[in-house]
Amino acid sequence: MKTIALLFKLNIIFTTTISAKHTTTNWISMKRNRISIKDISKALGLSNTTISFILNGKAEEMRISAQVAARVLAYVKEVGYTPNYLARGLVTGKTNTIGFIVENIGNPFFSQIASLIEEQAYNNGYKIIYSSTNGEKAKALELIRMFRDRGVDGYILCPTEGLEEEITQLREENRPVVLFDRYLPAVDSHYIGISNEDAMYNACKHLADKGKKHIALITTDSQQTQMLSRLEGYRKLLKERNLTAYILSVPYEERRERLQLDLENFLENNGIIDGICFATNYLAVGGLEVLRRNQIKIPSHIAVVAFDDNEALRLFQPGITAVAQPLEDMAKLIIDRLLIDLKLGKVTDKTFHKELPARLIVRESTG
Amino acid sequence: MKTIALLFKLNIIFTTTISAKHTTTNWISMKRNRISIKDISKALGLSNTTISFILNGKAEEMRISAQVAARVLAYVKEVGYTPNYLARGLVTGKTNTIGFIVENIGNPFFSQIASLIEEQAYNNGYKIIYSSTNGEKAKALELIRMFRDRGVDGYILCPTEGLEEEITQLREENRPVVLFDRYLPAVDSHYIGISNEDAMYNACKHLADKGKKHIALITTDSQQTQMLSRLEGYRKLLKERNLTAYILSVPYEERRERLQLDLENFLENNGIIDGICFATNYLAVGGLEVLRRNQIKIPSHIAVVAFDDNEALRLFQPGITAVAQPLEDMAKLIIDRLLIDLKLGKVTDKTFHKELPARLIVRESTG
DNA sequence: AATTAATGTGAAAACGATTGCCTTATTGTT
DNA sequence: AACAATAAGGCAATCGTTTTCACATTAATT
């Protein structure tokens, strides 16, 4: 027992610090106040070259004397110089920026992996520029081009369908690309994902092993590879157990609006269903709401398995068994792979295509 | 069922362009293949100036003849020229980029608002660079500086404590800043948030109205304004109803690890508690797990209200009443405000300080 | 016819780095 | 003493734009 209560001082701590600086310039221009290499070289009676070499750790290599180097570094620290990345990028063609394109950053799956990728990128000196496609090809294309125009060094993409040409193009231009979550069969590119077929197979198997005979798959009609593989996994299990398939395929474009109604109809028309696999997280969340509204008992009446795990599922009562993707591992592989190409300065010829195993988190204790 | 397969012509479109320049270098360098203004002016027998003016819509203003303009635009479209933003940024000092700093993009509250902000920014021609502070001042400072070095035009910050000087500095340099979720009392800056005190007051009131007499607040020891205000709201209601305060203040730094144990102890030592307000979303999620593990009946034994609404709470059974922040409105206000300063080219003297009302979503039907 | 005023363009200087190639000591060799 | 080799740094071009002037036509004015 500790904590509790406490006095909360409404802190006025900082009032002193605020006033002092920038008294002379009543200028209204911004940016002009930043110190540049030229300022440094002038102040120290050296050349830009020398400063630049020292700043880039090439002092020895370029035979700059240790004293000069020390003097420069000291001065740089003193005046708090930091390089202008735009200028540097202009000449080097590198920006230390990675373009990160997801379907929707508001989706927990993407935001979590984003969080992990961001951290790793950051640790390697890279910043992230991100944007969401909402699954629209047009937006995705626009984003890729915009990123290119801004000189991002590499791309992490959750591709929409129809991006084949553009991605091929990127690779031809020697711009490192890593796809994740899904890939494009017609394009040879690095890809990190999970073994969706196995994962879904296991998920369904779990239901079957619990004695469920009429297992449905709730999915979308999108042709994204991860969805197709999950479908395959479902099919495989059904075939193995000689079960009938019940598939509800919600139109991808209207997945938000239609899910609820479509699912209700589907269940009504297929009263025999006693198990459901949701092929992705938003379907699971929306679907569980429907089940609840219709007072369907889980898992006795219908048992449920969801793809992707997250807070919502973790807290759901009764426990929902879920397929958890190894987010940390994926993030690490993605970044590592991208960094290899980035360091190399060109796209490697052999593409890396890795599918990690997913983990089935069994939650319902009661059968 | 359609698609799949297709033939993707491995386009050789660019091979011509690539060879022409830098023939000497049999370099494998990238980027050199992009067409520049200079290429255009050369090809069309015009000057860079003319091209630039036309491209920037200043053709009329600069009295470029309509025919020339048309010719240039046609050619530009034909060769698919797009400007190099780095070069442009170097001279204009603008990058059309907004730095977006949140506590953790993996947190649904932040990722959802990020999604909304991104969309609005995008519609206004701005891109987002984002990063997470994890609540650490040092990381926040580093990020702000990194963003500055990259020449972002404006900042959207969810500030940690201790950022007063840096933010003041930004404003003095005329760099637009908008804070959200919380603000820094010692700094005069734009801020968009919700009326936390009222929101928490109403949340607690809801519990009190349901007859709860021993209402606890689960919060952190952070001095962030939004947390302090929520505490005030809680205090206000208790005072009004003449109730005793039960406050569990989890150390902010160890909020993940300690919450569960601290909460269990807290409840054990205060068996009389019959209502709980969670001051923020991760506390609610973690806390509800504890309540469930301890088989505490909600709301009959302990009634619960959570701050922030999200999928997890929406799905939780029994329904958990929650304080929902008006994310869309906040996002819109944030962007609008930032755009005003951005268009203006300088920081407006009067700061905008807006607290939107939050909505209490009552969920438990049974009392 | 000469001057002025529009019109349309272009030259060149930024912006702030990076980098290939020089220049000048200084030291070492024979 | 003459010359090469090395050490320590500097010059200036370059990246791709934007933007300030200046210049060259042509049309209009007096």
Side-chain angles (χ1 to χ4, degrees):
Chain A
M1 250 330 53
K2 46 240 110 160
T3 36
I4 313 242
L6 325 175
L7 298 179
F8 294 95
K9 47 180 183 314
L10 279 189
N11 44 355
I12 29 171
I13 314 173
F14 274 79
T15 5
T16 61
T17 339
I18 295 175
S19 38
K21 343 181 41 173
H22 289 269
T23 46
T24 54
T25 159
N26 55 358
W27 239 120
I28 319 196
S29 116
M30 29 180 143
K31 324 261 169 178
R32 302 298 164 227
N33 36 10
R34 291 198 53 192
I35 190 169
S36 77
I37 279 198
K38 203 176 295 180
D39 298 325
I40 299 179
S41 58
K42 208 160 288 174
L44 263 45
L46 293 166
S47 78
N48 290 357
T49 311
T50 306
I51 311 295
S52 177
F53 283 151
I54 294 172
L55 255 36
N56 290 311
K58 298 186 184 165
E60 281 197 47
E61 182 185 345
M62 290 301 154
R63 297 185 289 223
I64 309 290
S65 69
Q67 310 109 61
V68 171
R71 198 156 60 95
V72 169
L73 289 176
Y75 185 75
V76 160
K77 184 149 297 175
E78 181 195 333
V79 299
Y81 163 84
T82 60
N84 179 318
Y85 279 75
L86 294 176
R88 174 183 290 177
L90 188 55
V91 35
T92 63
K94 307 238 148 283
T95 57
N96 282 305
T97 304
I98 292 171
F100 183 51
I101 295 182
V102 299
E103 197 167 289
N104 175 8
I105 195 68
N107 179 321
F109 169 70
F110 291 113
S111 73
Q112 282 178 64
I113 205 159
S115 172
L116 295 165
I117 283 181
E118 173 201 332
E119 190 183 339
Q120 310 241 9
Y122 183 84
N123 291 339
N124 285 281
Y126 282 90
K127 288 271 101 339
I128 302 278
I129 301 188
Y130 81 97
S131 229
S132 309
T133 63
N134 296 318
E136 298 162 27
K137 171 184 171 184
K139 179 114 189 261
L141 279 177
E142 202 181 344
L143 287 176
I144 292 177
R145 289 176 185 152
M146 170 125 19
F147 283 178
R148 171 168 21 202
D149 293 344
R150 291 182 181 258
V152 309
D153 296 336
Y155 301 76
I156 298 175
L157 304 181
C158 171
T160 66
E161 302 173 55
L163 250 40
E164 287 82 359
E165 261 194 274
E166 194 73 10
I167 293 179
T168 304
Q169 176 88 239
L170 287 177
R171 284 179 55 80
E172 277 173 359
E173 292 170 11
N174 255 308
R175 302 172 190 277
V177 175
V178 175
L179 306 186
F180 78 101
D181 190 50
R182 67 202 69 168
Y183 60 94
L184 301 174
V187 175
D188 191 30
S189 169
H190 296 318
Y191 160 70
I192 318 285
I194 60 165
S195 43
N196 287 288
E197 185 175 332
D198 290 351
M200 182 57 90
Y201 173 84
N202 290 330
C204 295
K205 182 161 175 295
H206 173 76
L207 292 181
D209 286 347
K210 289 183 30 165
K212 300 301 179 180
K213 300 292 183 201
H214 302 277
I215 303 175
L217 176 70
I218 314 298
T219 183
T220 72
D221 65 354
S222 116
Q223 298 296 304
Q224 298 161 349
T225 56
Q226 87 283 22
M227 300 307 269
L228 294 180
S229 297
R230 291 172 196 175
L231 177 61
E232 277 319 302
Y234 170 76
R235 285 243 160 84
K236 183 175 167 198
L237 186 277
L238 291 205
K239 186 162 185 187
E240 217 174 272
R241 304 279 172 114
N242 197 25
L243 299 174
T244 320
Y246 302 84
I247 301 180
L248 172 62
S249 178
V250 181
Y252 180 71
E253 306 295 336
E254 311 162 69
R255 55 196 183 282
R256 314 264 168 217
E257 308 78 40
R258 300 252 313 246
L259 172 61
Q260 317 255 341
L261 241 74
D262 285 7
L263 181 54
E264 270 178 16
N265 286 333
F266 180 72
L267 291 178
E268 198 166 319
N269 298 335
N270 299 278
I272 199 170
I273 287 172
D274 55 7
I276 292 182
C277 291
F278 289 105
T280 189
N281 59 2
Y282 50 83
L283 293 175
V285 169
L288 286 172
E289 276 184 333
V290 171
L291 295 187
R292 168 164 300 161
R293 234 195 348 256
N294 289 283
Q295 314 207 15
I296 291 172
K297 295 222 171 13
I298 303 174
S300 57
H301 181 178
I302 296 184
V304 171
V305 179
F307 220 98
D308 290 341
D309 193 29
N310 60 40
E311 275 186 1
L313 290 176
R314 240 178 46 229
L315 282 181
F316 197 88
Q317 192 83 306
I320 301 291
T321 295
V323 175
Q325 302 201 33
L327 298 178
E328 293 84 359
D329 297 345
M330 291 175 64
K332 179 140 184 48
L333 276 177
I334 292 170
I335 280 290
D336 285 353
R337 204 61 219 178
L338 195 62
L339 285 176
I340 290 176
D341 279 7
L342 286 172
K343 300 302 181 208
L344 205 60
K346 58 171 304 221
V347 168
T348 49
D349 34 349
K350 285 192 296 288
T351 57
F352 180 78
H353 198 279
K354 180 78 175 176
E355 302 203 321
L356 299 170
R359 211 158 44 90
L360 188 70
I361 301 184
V362 178
R363 287 227 176 76
E364 65 276 12
S365 42
T366 56
Chain B
M1 292 293 98
K2 56 235 122 159
T3 39
I4 315 250
L6 321 179
L7 299 180
F8 293 98
K9 50 180 177 340
L10 286 187
N11 45 352
I12 27 172
I13 313 173
F14 271 75
T15 4
T16 60
T17 337
I18 294 175
S19 39
K21 355 182 18 182
H22 292 268
T23 46
T24 53
T25 155
N26 57 357
W27 241 118
I28 319 189
S29 104
M30 28 181 145
K31 325 258 171 179
R32 302 297 167 227
N33 39 7
R34 291 198 52 194
I35 190 170
S36 78
I37 279 197
K38 205 176 292 180
D39 298 324
I40 299 180
S41 57
K42 208 160 290 175
L44 264 42
L46 292 167
S47 77
N48 291 357
T49 313
T50 306
I51 311 296
S52 176
F53 282 152
I54 293 173
L55 256 34
N56 289 313
K58 297 187 184 165
E60 281 197 45
E61 183 185 343
M62 290 303 155
R63 299 181 290 218
I64 310 288
S65 69
Q67 310 109 61
V68 171
R71 199 155 61 95
V72 169
L73 289 175
Y75 185 76
V76 161
K77 183 149 298 175
E78 181 195 334
V79 298
Y81 164 84
T82 58
N84 179 319
Y85 279 76
L86 294 176
R88 174 183 289 177
L90 187 55
V91 34
T92 63
K94 307 238 148 281
T95 56
N96 282 303
T97 304
I98 293 171
F100 183 51
I101 296 181
V102 299
E103 197 166 289
N104 176 8
I105 195 69
N107 179 320
F109 170 70
F110 291 113
S111 72
Q112 283 178 62
I113 205 158
S115 173
L116 296 165
I117 283 181
E118 174 200 331
E119 190 183 340
Q120 310 241 10
Y122 184 84
N123 291 339
N124 285 282
Y126 282 90
K127 288 269 102 341
I128 302 277
I129 301 188
Y130 81 97
S131 230
S132 309
T133 63
N134 295 319
E136 297 162 27
K137 170 182 171 183
K139 179 115 190 261
L141 279 176
E142 202 180 343
L143 288 176
I144 292 177
R145 288 174 186 154
M146 170 124 21
F147 283 178
R148 171 167 21 203
D149 293 345
R150 292 182 182 256
V152 310
D153 297 336
Y155 301 76
I156 298 175
L157 305 179
C158 171
T160 65
E161 302 173 56
L163 251 40
E164 287 80 358
E165 256 194 283
E166 195 72 10
I167 293 179
T168 304
Q169 176 88 241
L170 287 177
R171 284 180 54 80
E172 277 173 359
E173 291 170 11
N174 256 308
R175 302 173 191 277
V177 175
V178 175
L179 307 185
F180 78 100
D181 190 50
R182 65 201 70 165
Y183 60 95
L184 301 174
V187 175
D188 191 29
S189 170
H190 296 316
Y191 161 70
I192 317 285
I194 60 165
S195 43
N196 287 289
E197 186 175 332
D198 290 351
M200 183 57 91
Y201 173 84
N202 290 329
C204 295
K205 182 161 173 295
H206 172 76
L207 293 181
D209 286 346
K210 288 183 32 163
K212 301 300 180 181
K213 299 293 183 202
H214 302 277
I215 302 174
L217 176 70
I218 314 299
T219 183
T220 72
D221 65 354
S222 117
Q223 298 295 303
Q224 297 161 350
T225 56
Q226 87 282 23
M227 300 307 269
L228 295 180
S229 297
R230 291 173 196 176
L231 176 62
E232 277 319 303
Y234 170 77
R235 286 244 160 82
K236 184 175 166 199
L237 186 276
L238 292 204
K239 186 162 187 188
E240 218 175 271
R241 302 283 172 112
N242 197 25
L243 300 174
T244 320
Y246 302 85
I247 301 179
L248 172 62
S249 177
V250 180
Y252 179 71
E253 306 294 337
E254 311 162 69
R255 55 196 183 282
R256 312 266 169 216
E257 308 79 39
R258 299 255 310 250
L259 172 62
Q260 316 254 343
L261 242 74
D262 284 7
L263 181 54
E264 270 177 15
N265 286 334
F266 180 70
L267 291 178
E268 199 168 318
N269 297 336
N270 298 278
I272 199 171
I273 287 173
D274 56 7
I276 291 182
C277 291
F278 289 105
T280 187
N281 59 3
Y282 50 82
L283 293 175
V285 169
L288 286 172
E289 276 183 334
V290 171
L291 295 187
R292 168 164 301 163
R293 240 203 334 264
N294 289 283
Q295 313 206 16
I296 291 172
K297 297 222 170 10
I298 303 173
S300 56
H301 181 178
I302 296 183
V304 171
V305 179
F307 219 97
D308 288 340
D309 193 29
N310 59 40
E311 276 185 0
L313 291 175
R314 239 176 47 228
L315 282 181
F316 198 89
Q317 191 82 306
I320 300 292
T321 294
V323 175
Q325 301 201 33
L327 299 178
E328 292 85 358
D329 297 345
M330 290 174 66
K332 179 140 183 50
L333 276 176
I334 291 169
I335 280 290
D336 285 354
R337 204 62 220 176
L338 195 62
L339 285 176
I340 291 177
D341 279 8
L342 285 173
K343 300 301 182 209
L344 204 62
K346 59 170 301 217
V347 170
T348 48
D349 35 348
K350 285 192 295 290
T351 57
F352 180 77
H353 199 278
K354 180 77 176 177
E355 303 202 322
L356 299 171
R359 211 157 44 90
L360 189 71
I361 300 184
V362 178
R363 285 225 177 77
E364 66 277 10
S365 41
T366 55

